[in-house]
PDB file of all heavy atoms in Angstrom:
ATOM      1  N   THR A 276     -57.205  26.447  56.278  1.00  0.00           N
ATOM      2  CA  THR A 276     -57.558  25.053  56.001  1.00  0.00           C
ATOM      3  C   THR A 276     -59.060  24.936  55.955  1.00  0.00           C
ATOM      4  O   THR A 276     -59.780  25.663  56.603  1.00  0.00           O
ATOM      5  CB  THR A 276     -57.037  24.121  57.108  1.00  0.00           C
ATOM      6  OG1 THR A 276     -57.535  24.611  58.372  1.00  0.00           O
ATOM      7  CG2 THR A 276     -55.524  24.124  57.146  1.00  0.00           C
ATOM      8  N   ASP A 277     -59.547  24.016  55.115  1.00  0.00           N
ATOM      9  CA  ASP A 277     -60.970  23.797  55.062  1.00  0.00           C
ATOM     10  C   ASP A 277     -61.293  22.562  55.919  1.00  0.00           C
ATOM     11  O   ASP A 277     -60.444  21.856  56.409  1.00  0.00           O
ATOM     12  CB  ASP A 277     -61.460  23.612  53.631  1.00  0.00           C
ATOM     13  CG  ASP A 277     -60.780  22.494  52.911  1.00  0.00           C
ATOM     14  OD1 ASP A 277     -60.416  21.512  53.594  1.00  0.00           O
ATOM     15  OD2 ASP A 277     -60.612  22.570  51.687  1.00  0.00           O
ATOM     16  N   THR A 278     -62.587  22.298  56.090  1.00  0.00           N
ATOM     17  CA  THR A 278     -63.006  21.195  56.945  1.00  0.00           C
ATOM     18  C   THR A 278     -62.759  19.870  56.289  1.00  0.00           C
ATOM     19  O   THR A 278     -62.872  18.835  56.945  1.00  0.00           O
ATOM     20  CB  THR A 278     -64.500  21.327  57.270  1.00  0.00           C
ATOM     21  OG1 THR A 278     -65.231  21.406  56.012  1.00  0.00           O
ATOM     22  CG2 THR A 278     -64.772  22.595  58.076  1.00  0.00           C
ATOM     23  N   LYS A 279     -62.378  19.840  55.028  1.00  0.00           N
ATOM     24  CA  LYS A 279     -62.080  18.577  54.360  1.00  0.00           C
ATOM     25  C   LYS A 279     -60.590  18.262  54.346  1.00  0.00           C
ATOM     26  O   LYS A 279     -60.171  17.306  53.778  1.00  0.00           O
ATOM     27  CB  LYS A 279     -62.585  18.633  52.891  1.00  0.00           C
ATOM     28  CG  LYS A 279     -64.112  18.763  52.808  1.00  0.00           C
ATOM     29  CD  LYS A 279     -64.560  18.794  51.366  1.00  0.00           C
ATOM     30  CE  LYS A 279     -66.074  18.943  51.263  1.00  0.00           C
ATOM     31  NZ  LYS A 279     -66.519  18.975  49.849  1.00  0.00           N
ATOM     32  N   GLY A 280     -59.819  19.125  54.984  1.00  0.00           N
ATOM     33  CA  GLY A 280     -58.395  18.822  55.111  1.00  0.00           C
ATOM     34  C   GLY A 280     -57.517  19.432  54.072  1.00  0.00           C
ATOM     35  O   GLY A 280     -56.326  19.288  54.087  1.00  0.00           O
ATOM     36  N   GLY A 281     -58.078  20.205  53.142  1.00  0.00           N
ATOM     37  CA  GLY A 281     -57.259  20.878  52.135  1.00  0.00           C
ATOM     38  C   GLY A 281     -56.988  22.279  52.535  1.00  0.00           C
ATOM     39  O   GLY A 281     -57.507  22.799  53.533  1.00  0.00           O
ATOM     40  N   PHE A 282     -56.176  22.971  51.745  1.00  0.00           N
ATOM     41  CA  PHE A 282     -55.867  24.371  52.012  1.00  0.00           C
ATOM     42  C   PHE A 282     -56.709  25.236  51.098  1.00  0.00           C
ATOM     43  O   PHE A 282     -56.810  24.977  49.900  1.00  0.00           O
ATOM     44  CB  PHE A 282     -54.375  24.652  51.786  1.00  0.00           C
ATOM     45  CG  PHE A 282     -53.512  24.037  52.840  1.00  0.00           C
ATOM     46  CD1 PHE A 282     -53.057  22.754  52.684  1.00  0.00           C
ATOM     47  CD2 PHE A 282     -53.207  24.730  53.978  1.00  0.00           C
ATOM     48  CE1 PHE A 282     -52.293  22.174  53.681  1.00  0.00           C
ATOM     49  CE2 PHE A 282     -52.426  24.164  54.951  1.00  0.00           C
ATOM     50  CZ  PHE A 282     -51.962  22.873  54.807  1.00  0.00           C
ATOM     51  N   ARG A 283     -57.290  26.287  51.613  1.00  0.00           N
ATOM     52  CA  ARG A 283     -58.086  27.181  50.802  1.00  0.00           C
ATOM     53  C   ARG A 283     -57.335  28.495  50.683  1.00  0.00           C
ATOM     54  O   ARG A 283     -56.895  29.068  51.679  1.00  0.00           O
ATOM     55  CB  ARG A 283     -59.488  27.386  51.370  1.00  0.00           C
ATOM     56  CG  ARG A 283     -59.500  28.161  52.701  1.00  0.00           C
ATOM     57  CD  ARG A 283     -60.927  28.458  53.144  1.00  0.00           C
ATOM     58  NE  ARG A 283     -60.958  29.354  54.271  1.00  0.00           N
ATOM     59  CZ  ARG A 283     -60.839  28.975  55.496  1.00  0.00           C
ATOM     60  NH1 ARG A 283     -60.718  27.690  55.805  1.00  0.00           N
ATOM     61  NH2 ARG A 283     -60.877  29.855  56.498  1.00  0.00           N
ATOM     62  N   GLY A 284     -57.247  29.012  49.516  1.00  0.00           N
ATOM     63  CA  GLY A 284     -56.571  30.291  49.314  1.00  0.00           C
ATOM     64  C   GLY A 284     -57.563  31.449  49.350  1.00  0.00           C
ATOM     65  O   GLY A 284     -58.521  31.438  48.593  1.00  0.00           O
ATOM     66  N   ARG A 285     -57.391  32.377  50.223  1.00  0.00           N
ATOM     67  CA  ARG A 285     -58.248  33.539  50.276  1.00  0.00           C
ATOM     68  C   ARG A 285     -57.870  34.528  49.191  1.00  0.00           C
ATOM     69  O   ARG A 285     -56.845  34.403  48.550  1.00  0.00           O
ATOM     70  CB  ARG A 285     -58.145  34.205  51.646  1.00  0.00           C
ATOM     71  CG  ARG A 285     -58.511  33.260  52.794  1.00  0.00           C
ATOM     72  CD  ARG A 285     -58.252  33.906  54.128  1.00  0.00           C
ATOM     73  NE  ARG A 285     -58.391  32.963  55.197  1.00  0.00           N
ATOM     74  CZ  ARG A 285     -57.985  33.158  56.413  1.00  0.00           C
ATOM     75  NH1 ARG A 285     -57.426  34.311  56.742  1.00  0.00           N
ATOM     76  NH2 ARG A 285     -58.150  32.250  57.353  1.00  0.00           N
ATOM     77  N   SER A 286     -58.695  35.530  49.009  1.00  0.00           N
ATOM     78  CA  SER A 286     -58.419  36.530  47.979  1.00  0.00           C
ATOM     79  C   SER A 286     -57.066  37.167  48.252  1.00  0.00           C
ATOM     80  O   SER A 286     -56.761  37.594  49.361  1.00  0.00           O
ATOM     81  CB  SER A 286     -59.505  37.597  47.997  1.00  0.00           C
ATOM     82  OG  SER A 286     -59.209  38.620  47.065  1.00  0.00           O
ATOM     83  N   MET A 287     -56.241  37.238  47.250  1.00  0.00           N
ATOM     84  CA  MET A 287     -54.853  37.597  47.453  1.00  0.00           C
ATOM     85  C   MET A 287     -54.285  38.363  46.287  1.00  0.00           C
ATOM     86  O   MET A 287     -54.501  37.982  45.153  1.00  0.00           O
ATOM     87  CB  MET A 287     -54.082  36.294  47.676  1.00  0.00           C
ATOM     88  CG  MET A 287     -52.807  36.381  48.329  1.00  0.00           C
ATOM     89  SD  MET A 287     -52.122  34.757  48.427  1.00  0.00           S
ATOM     90  CE  MET A 287     -51.825  34.813  50.097  1.00  0.00           C
ATOM     91  N   SER A 288     -53.612  39.447  46.516  1.00  0.00           N
ATOM     92  CA  SER A 288     -52.969  40.176  45.442  1.00  0.00           C
ATOM     93  C   SER A 288     -51.672  39.509  45.046  1.00  0.00           C
ATOM     94  O   SER A 288     -51.095  38.729  45.800  1.00  0.00           O
ATOM     95  CB  SER A 288     -52.694  41.623  45.891  1.00  0.00           C
ATOM     96  OG  SER A 288     -51.720  41.655  46.899  1.00  0.00           O
ATOM     97  N   ARG A 289     -51.170  39.858  43.852  1.00  0.00           N
ATOM     98  CA  ARG A 289     -49.908  39.283  43.408  1.00  0.00           C
ATOM     99  C   ARG A 289     -48.788  39.672  44.345  1.00  0.00           C
ATOM    100  O   ARG A 289     -47.889  38.890  44.635  1.00  0.00           O
ATOM    101  CB  ARG A 289     -49.610  39.762  41.984  1.00  0.00           C
ATOM    102  CG  ARG A 289     -48.338  39.102  41.383  1.00  0.00           C
ATOM    103  CD  ARG A 289     -48.068  39.651  40.002  1.00  0.00           C
ATOM    104  NE  ARG A 289     -49.207  39.439  39.133  1.00  0.00           N
ATOM    105  CZ  ARG A 289     -49.293  39.972  37.927  1.00  0.00           C
ATOM    106  NH1 ARG A 289     -48.311  40.739  37.488  1.00  0.00           N
ATOM    107  NH2 ARG A 289     -50.339  39.760  37.160  1.00  0.00           N
ATOM    108  N   SER A 290     -48.826  40.895  44.823  1.00  0.00           N
ATOM    109  CA  SER A 290     -47.744  41.343  45.742  1.00  0.00           C
ATOM    110  C   SER A 290     -47.773  40.544  47.040  1.00  0.00           C
ATOM    111  O   SER A 290     -46.745  40.266  47.613  1.00  0.00           O
ATOM    112  CB  SER A 290     -47.913  42.827  46.026  1.00  0.00           C
ATOM    113  OG  SER A 290     -49.133  43.102  46.676  1.00  0.00           O
ATOM    114  N   SER A 291     -48.993  40.145  47.500  1.00  0.00           N
ATOM    115  CA  SER A 291     -49.089  39.343  48.705  1.00  0.00           C
ATOM    116  C   SER A 291     -48.421  37.976  48.490  1.00  0.00           C
ATOM    117  O   SER A 291     -47.748  37.450  49.348  1.00  0.00           O
ATOM    118  CB  SER A 291     -50.553  39.164  49.103  1.00  0.00           C
ATOM    119  OG  SER A 291     -51.110  40.387  49.462  1.00  0.00           O
ATOM    120  N   TRP A 292     -48.677  37.404  47.285  1.00  0.00           N
ATOM    121  CA  TRP A 292     -48.055  36.128  46.993  1.00  0.00           C
ATOM    122  C   TRP A 292     -46.537  36.234  46.975  1.00  0.00           C
ATOM    123  O   TRP A 292     -45.827  35.407  47.556  1.00  0.00           O
ATOM    124  CB  TRP A 292     -48.500  35.636  45.603  1.00  0.00           C
ATOM    125  CG  TRP A 292     -49.767  34.853  45.632  1.00  0.00           C
ATOM    126  CD1 TRP A 292     -50.972  35.206  45.113  1.00  0.00           C
ATOM    127  CD2 TRP A 292     -49.965  33.559  46.200  1.00  0.00           C
ATOM    128  NE1 TRP A 292     -51.902  34.226  45.336  1.00  0.00           N
ATOM    129  CE2 TRP A 292     -51.303  33.201  46.007  1.00  0.00           C
ATOM    130  CE3 TRP A 292     -49.109  32.671  46.851  1.00  0.00           C
ATOM    131  CZ2 TRP A 292     -51.840  32.020  46.459  1.00  0.00           C
ATOM    132  CZ3 TRP A 292     -49.649  31.474  47.321  1.00  0.00           C
ATOM    133  CH2 TRP A 292     -50.975  31.160  47.112  1.00  0.00           C
ATOM    134  N   VAL A 293     -46.030  37.241  46.331  1.00  0.00           N
ATOM    135  CA  VAL A 293     -44.575  37.407  46.230  1.00  0.00           C
ATOM    136  C   VAL A 293     -43.972  37.576  47.622  1.00  0.00           C
ATOM    137  O   VAL A 293     -42.980  36.958  47.976  1.00  0.00           O
ATOM    138  CB  VAL A 293     -44.219  38.585  45.313  1.00  0.00           C
ATOM    139  CG1 VAL A 293     -42.706  38.858  45.340  1.00  0.00           C
ATOM    140  CG2 VAL A 293     -44.658  38.324  43.872  1.00  0.00           C
ATOM    141  N   ALA A 294     -44.597  38.476  48.410  1.00  0.00           N
ATOM    142  CA  ALA A 294     -44.087  38.710  49.756  1.00  0.00           C
ATOM    143  C   ALA A 294     -44.166  37.478  50.598  1.00  0.00           C
ATOM    144  O   ALA A 294     -43.275  37.162  51.376  1.00  0.00           O
ATOM    145  CB  ALA A 294     -44.867  39.861  50.407  1.00  0.00           C
ATOM    146  N   GLY A 295     -45.295  36.724  50.442  1.00  0.00           N
ATOM    147  CA  GLY A 295     -45.454  35.514  51.248  1.00  0.00           C
ATOM    148  C   GLY A 295     -44.458  34.442  50.900  1.00  0.00           C
ATOM    149  O   GLY A 295     -43.865  33.801  51.760  1.00  0.00           O
ATOM    150  N   ILE A 296     -44.240  34.200  49.589  1.00  0.00           N
ATOM    151  CA  ILE A 296     -43.296  33.202  49.182  1.00  0.00           C
ATOM    152  C   ILE A 296     -41.870  33.592  49.625  1.00  0.00           C
ATOM    153  O   ILE A 296     -41.108  32.756  50.090  1.00  0.00           O
ATOM    154  CB  ILE A 296     -43.298  33.014  47.647  1.00  0.00           C
ATOM    155  CG1 ILE A 296     -44.667  32.474  47.202  1.00  0.00           C
ATOM    156  CG2 ILE A 296     -42.199  32.077  47.202  1.00  0.00           C
ATOM    157  CD1 ILE A 296     -45.018  31.139  47.793  1.00  0.00           C
ATOM    158  N   SER A 297     -41.552  34.870  49.528  1.00  0.00           N
ATOM    159  CA  SER A 297     -40.246  35.344  49.969  1.00  0.00           C
ATOM    160  C   SER A 297     -40.084  35.096  51.467  1.00  0.00           C
ATOM    161  O   SER A 297     -39.007  34.675  51.932  1.00  0.00           O
ATOM    162  CB  SER A 297     -40.084  36.854  49.679  1.00  0.00           C
ATOM    163  OG  SER A 297     -40.185  37.082  48.304  1.00  0.00           O
ATOM    164  N   GLY A 298     -41.163  35.331  52.234  1.00  0.00           N
ATOM    165  CA  GLY A 298     -41.109  35.094  53.664  1.00  0.00           C
ATOM    166  C   GLY A 298     -40.857  33.650  54.014  1.00  0.00           C
ATOM    167  O   GLY A 298     -40.080  33.337  54.920  1.00  0.00           O
ATOM    168  N   ILE A 299     -41.488  32.747  53.269  1.00  0.00           N
ATOM    169  CA  ILE A 299     -41.287  31.299  53.518  1.00  0.00           C
ATOM    170  C   ILE A 299     -39.856  30.932  53.227  1.00  0.00           C
ATOM    171  O   ILE A 299     -39.222  30.210  53.983  1.00  0.00           O
ATOM    172  CB  ILE A 299     -42.225  30.458  52.637  1.00  0.00           C
ATOM    173  CG1 ILE A 299     -43.651  30.488  53.213  1.00  0.00           C
ATOM    174  CG2 ILE A 299     -41.752  29.034  52.557  1.00  0.00           C
ATOM    175  CD1 ILE A 299     -44.571  29.531  52.536  1.00  0.00           C
ATOM    176  N   MET A 300     -39.314  31.407  52.113  1.00  0.00           N
ATOM    177  CA  MET A 300     -37.937  31.068  51.753  1.00  0.00           C
ATOM    178  C   MET A 300     -36.974  31.573  52.810  1.00  0.00           C
ATOM    179  O   MET A 300     -36.020  30.833  53.204  1.00  0.00           O
ATOM    180  CB  MET A 300     -37.600  31.669  50.393  1.00  0.00           C
ATOM    181  CG  MET A 300     -38.332  31.024  49.246  1.00  0.00           C
ATOM    182  SD  MET A 300     -38.020  31.854  47.675  1.00  0.00           S
ATOM    183  CE  MET A 300     -36.249  31.566  47.498  1.00  0.00           C
ATOM    184  N   LEU A 301     -37.183  32.749  53.317  1.00  0.00           N
ATOM    185  CA  LEU A 301     -36.302  33.260  54.365  1.00  0.00           C
ATOM    186  C   LEU A 301     -36.441  32.486  55.638  1.00  0.00           C
ATOM    187  O   LEU A 301     -35.463  32.202  56.344  1.00  0.00           O
ATOM    188  CB  LEU A 301     -36.599  34.744  54.612  1.00  0.00           C
ATOM    189  CG  LEU A 301     -36.202  35.712  53.485  1.00  0.00           C
ATOM    190  CD1 LEU A 301     -36.739  37.102  53.773  1.00  0.00           C
ATOM    191  CD2 LEU A 301     -34.713  35.746  53.283  1.00  0.00           C
ATOM    192  N   MET A 302     -37.690  32.103  55.955  1.00  0.00           N
ATOM    193  CA  MET A 302     -37.962  31.352  57.174  1.00  0.00           C
ATOM    194  C   MET A 302     -37.293  29.996  57.150  1.00  0.00           C
ATOM    195  O   MET A 302     -36.602  29.610  58.114  1.00  0.00           O
ATOM    196  CB  MET A 302     -39.473  31.186  57.335  1.00  0.00           C
ATOM    197  CG  MET A 302     -39.883  30.318  58.543  1.00  0.00           C
ATOM    198  SD  MET A 302     -41.673  30.093  58.595  1.00  0.00           S
ATOM    199  CE  MET A 302     -41.925  29.073  57.142  1.00  0.00           C
ATOM    200  N   VAL A 303     -37.442  29.243  56.053  1.00  0.00           N
ATOM    201  CA  VAL A 303     -36.861  27.899  56.004  1.00  0.00           C
ATOM    202  C   VAL A 303     -35.346  28.005  55.903  1.00  0.00           C
ATOM    203  O   VAL A 303     -34.645  27.127  56.432  1.00  0.00           O
ATOM    204  CB  VAL A 303     -37.457  27.103  54.827  1.00  0.00           C
ATOM    205  CG1 VAL A 303     -38.913  26.877  55.015  1.00  0.00           C
ATOM    206  CG2 VAL A 303     -37.179  27.762  53.509  1.00  0.00           C
ATOM    207  N   ALA A 304     -34.858  29.022  55.262  1.00  0.00           N
ATOM    208  CA  ALA A 304     -33.371  29.166  55.166  1.00  0.00           C
ATOM    209  C   ALA A 304     -32.806  29.415  56.550  1.00  0.00           C
ATOM    210  O   ALA A 304     -31.800  28.839  56.960  1.00  0.00           O
ATOM    211  CB  ALA A 304     -33.013  30.305  54.237  1.00  0.00           C
ATOM    212  N   ALA A 305     -33.455  30.313  57.332  1.00  0.00           N
ATOM    213  CA  ALA A 305     -32.975  30.610  58.668  1.00  0.00           C
ATOM    214  C   ALA A 305     -33.040  29.404  59.589  1.00  0.00           C
ATOM    215  O   ALA A 305     -32.126  29.107  60.320  1.00  0.00           O
ATOM    216  CB  ALA A 305     -33.787  31.767  59.238  1.00  0.00           C
ATOM    217  N   ALA A 306     -34.163  28.659  59.501  1.00  0.00           N
ATOM    218  CA  ALA A 306     -34.309  27.472  60.326  1.00  0.00           C
ATOM    219  C   ALA A 306     -33.282  26.422  59.977  1.00  0.00           C
ATOM    220  O   ALA A 306     -32.688  25.786  60.843  1.00  0.00           O
ATOM    221  CB  ALA A 306     -35.705  26.925  60.176  1.00  0.00           C
ATOM    222  N   GLY A 307     -33.068  26.211  58.675  1.00  0.00           N
ATOM    223  CA  GLY A 307     -32.113  25.203  58.248  1.00  0.00           C
ATOM    224  C   GLY A 307     -30.678  25.600  58.661  1.00  0.00           C
ATOM    225  O   GLY A 307     -29.900  24.733  59.109  1.00  0.00           O
ATOM    226  N   ALA A 308     -30.332  26.851  58.501  1.00  0.00           N
ATOM    227  CA  ALA A 308     -28.998  27.294  58.871  1.00  0.00           C
ATOM    228  C   ALA A 308     -28.778  27.170  60.367  1.00  0.00           C
ATOM    229  O   ALA A 308     -27.712  26.762  60.828  1.00  0.00           O
ATOM    230  CB  ALA A 308     -28.771  28.727  58.406  1.00  0.00           C
ATOM    231  N   GLN A 309     -29.789  27.519  61.135  1.00  0.00           N
ATOM    232  CA  GLN A 309     -29.646  27.443  62.591  1.00  0.00           C
ATOM    233  C   GLN A 309     -29.448  26.024  63.034  1.00  0.00           C
ATOM    234  O   GLN A 309     -28.613  25.726  63.908  1.00  0.00           O
ATOM    235  CB  GLN A 309     -30.872  28.026  63.288  1.00  0.00           C
ATOM    236  CG  GLN A 309     -30.762  28.005  64.812  1.00  0.00           C
ATOM    237  CD  GLN A 309     -31.984  28.603  65.472  1.00  0.00           C
ATOM    238  OE1 GLN A 309     -32.944  28.929  64.813  1.00  0.00           O
ATOM    239  NE2 GLN A 309     -31.938  28.678  66.773  1.00  0.00           N
ATOM    240  N   SER A 310     -30.179  25.078  62.435  1.00  0.00           N
ATOM    241  CA  SER A 310     -30.057  23.676  62.859  1.00  0.00           C
ATOM    242  C   SER A 310     -28.749  23.075  62.411  1.00  0.00           C
ATOM    243  O   SER A 310     -28.270  22.117  63.041  1.00  0.00           O
ATOM    244  CB  SER A 310     -31.228  22.866  62.257  1.00  0.00           C
ATOM    245  OG  SER A 310     -31.108  22.784  60.859  1.00  0.00           O
ATOM    246  N   ALA A 311     -28.165  23.601  61.339  1.00  0.00           N
ATOM    247  CA  ALA A 311     -26.959  22.974  60.799  1.00  0.00           C
ATOM    248  C   ALA A 311     -25.666  23.645  61.293  1.00  0.00           C
ATOM    249  O   ALA A 311     -24.587  23.083  61.172  1.00  0.00           O
ATOM    250  CB  ALA A 311     -26.979  23.037  59.279  1.00  0.00           C
ATOM    251  N   ALA A 312     -25.765  24.838  61.825  1.00  0.00           N
ATOM    252  CA  ALA A 312     -24.577  25.583  62.209  1.00  0.00           C
ATOM    253  C   ALA A 312     -23.826  24.856  63.321  1.00  0.00           C
ATOM    254  O   ALA A 312     -24.408  24.319  64.241  1.00  0.00           O
ATOM    255  CB  ALA A 312     -24.937  26.997  62.661  1.00  0.00           C
ATOM    256  N   VAL A 313     -22.497  24.881  63.257  1.00  0.00           N
ATOM    257  CA  VAL A 313     -21.671  24.163  64.223  1.00  0.00           C
ATOM    258  C   VAL A 313     -21.814  24.755  65.609  1.00  0.00           C
ATOM    259  O   VAL A 313     -21.780  24.036  66.587  1.00  0.00           O
ATOM    260  CB  VAL A 313     -20.197  24.172  63.747  1.00  0.00           C
ATOM    261  CG1 VAL A 313     -19.300  23.610  64.838  1.00  0.00           C
ATOM    262  CG2 VAL A 313     -20.059  23.413  62.449  1.00  0.00           C
ATOM    263  N   ASP A 314     -21.949  26.065  65.690  1.00  0.00           N
ATOM    264  CA  ASP A 314     -21.884  26.725  66.981  1.00  0.00           C
ATOM    265  C   ASP A 314     -23.227  26.698  67.721  1.00  0.00           C
ATOM    266  O   ASP A 314     -23.311  27.175  68.858  1.00  0.00           O
ATOM    267  CB  ASP A 314     -21.464  28.180  66.807  1.00  0.00           C
ATOM    268  CG  ASP A 314     -20.020  28.293  66.328  1.00  0.00           C
ATOM    269  OD1 ASP A 314     -19.265  27.351  66.596  1.00  0.00           O
ATOM    270  OD2 ASP A 314     -19.683  29.284  65.656  1.00  0.00           O
ATOM    271  N   THR A 315     -24.306  26.202  67.123  1.00  0.00           N
ATOM    272  CA  THR A 315     -25.581  26.178  67.785  1.00  0.00           C
ATOM    273  C   THR A 315     -25.680  24.946  68.700  1.00  0.00           C
ATOM    274  O   THR A 315     -24.929  23.983  68.553  1.00  0.00           O
ATOM    275  CB  THR A 315     -26.757  26.161  66.779  1.00  0.00           C
ATOM    276  OG1 THR A 315     -26.599  25.012  65.943  1.00  0.00           O
ATOM    277  CG2 THR A 315     -26.759  27.412  65.966  1.00  0.00           C
ATOM    278  N   ALA A 316     -26.653  24.985  69.590  1.00  0.00           N
ATOM    279  CA  ALA A 316     -26.848  23.863  70.492  1.00  0.00           C
ATOM    280  C   ALA A 316     -27.314  22.641  69.715  1.00  0.00           C
ATOM    281  O   ALA A 316     -27.940  22.782  68.666  1.00  0.00           O
ATOM    282  CB  ALA A 316     -27.886  24.206  71.559  1.00  0.00           C
ATOM    283  N   PRO A 317     -27.008  21.409  70.178  1.00  0.00           N
ATOM    284  CA  PRO A 317     -27.465  20.207  69.480  1.00  0.00           C
ATOM    285  C   PRO A 317     -28.953  20.220  69.303  1.00  0.00           C
ATOM    286  O   PRO A 317     -29.705  20.551  70.226  1.00  0.00           O
ATOM    287  CB  PRO A 317     -26.981  19.087  70.398  1.00  0.00           C
ATOM    288  CG  PRO A 317     -25.880  19.667  71.205  1.00  0.00           C
ATOM    289  CD  PRO A 317     -26.245  21.099  71.360  1.00  0.00           C
ATOM    290  N   SER A 318     -29.420  19.845  68.130  1.00  0.00           N
ATOM    291  CA  SER A 318     -30.866  19.867  67.881  1.00  0.00           C
ATOM    292  C   SER A 318     -31.319  18.569  67.235  1.00  0.00           C
ATOM    293  O   SER A 318     -32.322  18.553  66.535  1.00  0.00           O
ATOM    294  CB  SER A 318     -31.227  21.039  66.972  1.00  0.00           C
ATOM    295  OG  SER A 318     -30.531  20.927  65.732  1.00  0.00           O
ATOM    296  N   GLY A 319     -30.569  17.477  67.447  1.00  0.00           N
ATOM    297  CA  GLY A 319     -30.890  16.218  66.781  1.00  0.00           C
ATOM    298  C   GLY A 319     -32.223  15.665  67.278  1.00  0.00           C
ATOM    299  O   GLY A 319     -32.288  14.982  68.278  1.00  0.00           O
TER     300      GLY A 319
END
């Protein structure tokens, strides 16, 4: 983050982008599935 409140992208290879985006997708999928699964503890 920069001091003005925006996000700054550091120097990054294409492979880093692909790996990073894949990581986010897996992360949000896991979090969503955990919160929605019937057998998990209530998380409302």
Side-chain angles (χ1 to χ4, degrees):
T276 55
D277 58 31
T278 56
K279 296 181 180 179
F282 288 89
R283 67 174 189 275
R285 302 174 190 168
S286 177
M287 201 181 231
S288 67
R289 185 182 303 171
S290 61
S291 296
W292 273 113
V293 174
I296 296 299
S297 300
I299 283 188
M300 292 175 63
L301 290 172
M302 176 183 68
V303 296
Q309 181 180 5
S310 66
V313 172
D314 293 334
T315 58
S318 59

